Structure formats: structure tokens, C-alpha cells
Amino acid sequence: MLAILHPNTALDSEAYRQTMEYLENLPGVSIRVHEIQGASQRLTEIYLLGDTKSLEKAEIEALPAVERAIRISEDYRILGRHKDDQRQSGFTYNGVEFSQNNLNIFAGLCAVDVPEHVEMMLQALEDNGEVCTRMGAYKPRTNPYSFQGHGKGCLPWVFEKAGKHGIKVIAMEITHESHIEEIDTCLEKLGRPTGVMLQVGTRNTQNFELLKAIGRQSTYPVLLKRGFGITLNESLNAAEYLASEGNANVIFCLRGMKTEAGLPHRNMVDFAHVPAVKRLTRMPVCVDPSHSVGSRDQSPDGILDVMHATAQGVIAGANMVLVDFHPNPQQALVDGPQAMLLDELPWFLEDMQIARQAWEKRVALAQDNLKSP
Ligand code: PEP
Ligand code: MN
């Protein structure tokens, strides 16, 4: 059972005290308080765990601080979408809104290499009015002898440049909890010129200790990639680990599944799951066409496979796109073969607009049909 308190309920109010006293004394029930700070109000949600079957919704809703109660299912308690659950999805971070209703594009470098390339990438984004990007500093590589990323050494100049070009959010993978502090210390020292969304890669989807460490902080939102060899349910539970530790600002990213059956693509594109994740959870859903498709192959209609795959995700209602670009893919230290070129950025963005508008038209059509008798 979930008890949602009236917005902005003061923790020192009599209503709160009485409500907590009642809940804390329910036999066999433990409680977990979850605070959500929105742009205009603070919401307190109280999860009642354990023996809650005998509780009545009306009993909980009668408590003075409670606005309404929702009976929640066992799975994805915090991030899930439960029956009669009207709660908003998403969050705002550094002025950028993330929800199940909008779309943000994160085009950028798979891996940070040299300042010139970062500069060129950021300039292209600024020229096209984009305020988000991806930049890898810590790269999890299959081969221990491959380039592992510049690590914390590149953070100061990457963050400074990003701020200069008006970037608000950088999706940056971390592979160890110590990286959170490295990023935080660096941003703080620079006066926070930009923001970071912590990315958990597909190789770490079930690294539960890493998830718990990331979940314990709420300064940075999280982009969690689906594990490439596990079920969707297992990956969604991994997302719930973050929320259960306190950070529910999580975006779920589909990036393809590892199977020979996906060939000629690097991974089997799984973007048909976009609406499934939106139905099962309240998380905004991201698609990563670069790591799914893995090449610059082009179909006879002139459209790159990467763009086709992205459009498939966006027309199905995706809320974020994470996509590799590079000014000179031959010189890229990681994943050059799948990178799009900087002069293809306007084309890519326009193509995404078309797909997004098609999704909006499809939603309107569905509404019309649902309304008609
Ligand atoms: C990446 O986005 O750079 C990456 C390594 O992706 P994945 O974890 O999906 O392989
Ligand atoms: Mn990559």
C-alpha cells in the first residue's frame, strides 16, 4: 500500500505526527518514506511494506495527512505504474524536463578523446539548439587492452566546454561508485557549469552494489541501460534498486539484446518494448540506436539503419534518444563505425521531428477512437 500525503505537508505538523504514529504502529507493517521535490511542491509518499493485505484504502485515506492511498503490486513498487495510479512520471533536472510525454535528444561522443573533437561536437549541438549530450569518460571495455576512457582527468575541460556551449545535461557512464564523487567534486569546483546524468551501462545493469550507491544520492538523475542478456523484468527490477535506495529520477534505456539473431545489427533492436516499459512503469524511456545497430549501414531508401531504428523508437513514444556522433569517426577511440557525422546532425534531428509528430498523430487518433462509442 502507498499513502500519498497532501502536497507540502510539513514534517513538524500535527497531521504528520498523528499519521506517522498510526502507520508506525500497524502490526507487521514497516514503512519507508520517499520524498519528491518537484519544481513547485514537495510530495511525501509513504510505502507500507509487509503484511498490508488486511489494510483498507479508506482506513489509510482517513488519516489527517494522507491525500490518497494506492494499493501497489509487488513488482517495481516505486517506479511501477499501479492500478488507479495517477501519479506523474518524470522529473526536471538542471532546467530540462524528463517525462513520459516529451522527447530529449542526447547526441554526442561515445568516448571523450581530444579537446578539439569535444569542442566540434559541442559547437554542432549549440548550432542546432541542443542542450543535452553524451560524453564517455569512463568506458567499460570488453578487452582490457582497449582504451578505457580518460577518466577523471578529462572532466574539468569537458565540463567547462559543455557549460560554454550551453549544455545543461551530459549523459556520462560511470562504472564504479567512486566516479560519482569525482564528477561531483569537479562540477562543484567549477561552479556547476553543466549537469550530469549518471549512466549505468548494460554490463553493469545488475551490479547491485553500484546501483545502491547511485541510488543513495539524489543530486544526479540516472540513465539505466537494459541488460543485454537478461529479461525485461530483471532490468526493470534493477531500476527499482535505484529507487528503493532513494533516487527515483531514473530513465530506462533500451539498447538492443545480444544474440546472433540480431545480425547484421550489433544487437537485436528491442524498441518495440518502448510502450511496454511505459505501461509497466512511470519511467521515461530512452532508446540507444547506436549500440543497437552498431554501424553506418544505409538502406536503399537512403536512410541509415541507425536513423530507421531511432525513428522506430520515437514513433512508439520514446522520451529520449542517446546517439553516437563524431567529427571524424576514423579517429574515434571507441565505436567509430557506428558514429554519425556532425553534418548529419540537422538531418537526424529533422527526421526525429517527423517521427515524433507521427507519434503525436497516432496518440490523437487513438484518443478519437477511444472516445467514439
Ligand atoms: C555506451 O553507451 O557508451 C555503452 C557502452 O553502451 P552499452 O552499455 O549499452 O553497451
Ligand atoms: Mn559506445
Side-chain angles (χ1 to χ4, degrees):
M1 184 86 82
L2 167 63
I4 301 174
L5 304 194
H6 297 289
N8 299 321
T9 297
L11 303 187
D12 57 1
S13 63
E14 186 54 21
Y16 185 77
R17 196 195 59 72
Q18 280 179 18
T19 301
M20 290 306 272
E21 188 176 303
Y22 186 89
L23 297 176
E24 278 164 354
N25 287 303
L26 287 170
V29 174
S30 62
I31 65 174
R32 203 147 171 167
V33 181
H34 188 79
E35 298 275 349
I36 305 151
Q37 185 61 57
S40 60
Q41 59 181 27
R42 186 174 47 79
L43 262 191
T44 305
E45 298 180 341
I46 302 181
Y47 287 83
L48 309 178
L49 309 175
D51 190 11
T52 59
K53 284 213 170 53
S54 59
L55 292 179
E56 291 293 338
K57 245 168 76 111
E59 169 191 356
I60 303 300
E61 283 178 344
L63 295 170
V66 176
E67 184 178 78
R68 70 206 145 88
I70 299 172
R71 192 167 286 290
I72 54 175
S73 45
E74 279 298 301
D75 273 346
Y76 334 132
R77 281 181 182 155
I78 299 174
L79 295 172
R81 188 179 283 290
H82 308 290
K83 193 170 170 289
D84 302 326
D85 189 351
Q86 311 295 337
R87 285 175 299 164
Q88 280 280 312
S89 70
F91 55 91
T92 298
Y93 171 66
N94 216 18
V96 182
E97 188 201 333
F98 296 92
S99 81
Q100 284 196 340
N101 299 319
N102 71 347
L103 174 66
N104 291 294
I105 311 270
F106 282 59
L109 303 182
C110 176
V112 170
D113 44 33
V114 293
E116 294 69 36
H117 290 155
V118 171
E119 183 68 33
M120 287 164 84
M121 182 73 236
L122 295 171
Q123 186 64 54
L125 291 166
E126 188 178 7
D127 292 346
N128 284 279
E130 294 297 309
V131 296
C132 298
T133 188
R134 56 161 294 147
M135 291 279 157
Y138 309 94
K139 298 306 299 179
R141 304 305 303 282
T142 304
N143 185 332
Y145 307 111
S146 303
F147 173 64
Q148 305 281 312
H150 288 309
K152 75 171 178 185
C154 70
L155 299 182
W157 55 266
V158 170
F159 292 160
E160 253 172 3
K161 283 183 186 299
K164 195 183 88 191
H165 288 283
I167 296 293
K168 302 269 180 225
V169 190
I170 305 174
M172 180 173 277
E173 179 164 358
I174 64 164
T175 54
H176 190 269
E177 64 174 283
S178 60
H179 300 156
I180 307 172
E181 206 183 317
E182 291 179 3
I183 289 169
D184 192 56
T185 306
C186 183
L187 280 175
E188 187 62 30
K189 215 169 174 173
L190 297 172
R192 303 202 177 265
T194 187
V196 167
M197 177 179 287
L198 300 174
Q199 182 177 324
V200 178
T202 195
R203 292 160 188 79
N204 276 315
T205 307
Q206 286 188 312
N207 182 341
F208 299 117
E209 296 311 316
L210 179 64
L211 296 176
K212 286 193 233 169
I214 296 175
R216 281 194 293 271
Q217 61 77 44
S218 48
T219 310
Y220 304 103
V222 191
L223 179 67
L224 177 75
K225 294 269 191 111
R226 177 184 192 171
F228 55 32
I230 57 177
T231 64
L232 182 62
N233 173 270
E234 286 164 332
S235 288
L236 296 178
N237 269 300
E240 186 72 13
Y241 260 91
L242 296 158
S244 75
E245 291 292 328
N247 190 346
N249 291 350
V250 184
I251 297 175
F252 189 78
C253 182
L254 299 168
R255 49 81 69 209
M257 302 301 288
K258 204 179 197 51
T259 157
E260 294 288 304
L263 289 171
H265 292 157
R266 181 175 171 183
N267 287 287
M268 180 73 118
V269 179
D270 54 353
F271 299 167
H273 277 172
V274 167
V277 178
K278 289 174 80 171
R279 169 166 55 76
L280 292 167
T281 79
R282 297 180 296 128
M283 288 185 277
V285 181
C286 176
V287 292
D288 175 345
S290 305
H291 292 82
S292 304
V293 170
S295 75
R296 289 185 41 80
D297 289 339
Q298 196 168 24
S299 65
D301 57 18
I303 302 173
L304 304 188
D305 284 14
V306 178
M307 292 170 69
H308 270 301
T310 320
Q312 286 160 15
V314 172
I315 203 169
N319 308 113
M320 174 170 160
V321 173
L322 189 74
V323 55
D324 289 359
F325 272 74
H326 198 283
N328 189 346
Q330 282 81 13
Q331 289 175 11
L333 297 176
V334 186
D335 286 346
Q338 69 196 27
M340 293 195 59
L341 311 174
L342 294 193
D343 62 9
E344 291 169 338
L345 183 59
W347 173 23
F348 181 84
L349 294 173
E350 197 173 335
D351 197 45
M352 287 319 108
Q353 281 312 315
I354 294 171
R356 176 72 184 170
Q357 282 158 10
W359 175 76
E360 285 165 357
K361 281 190 194 162
R362 294 177 64 224
V363 172
L365 180 64
Q367 296 301 328
D368 284 350
N369 280 278
L370 291 169
K371 262 184 259 146
S372 52

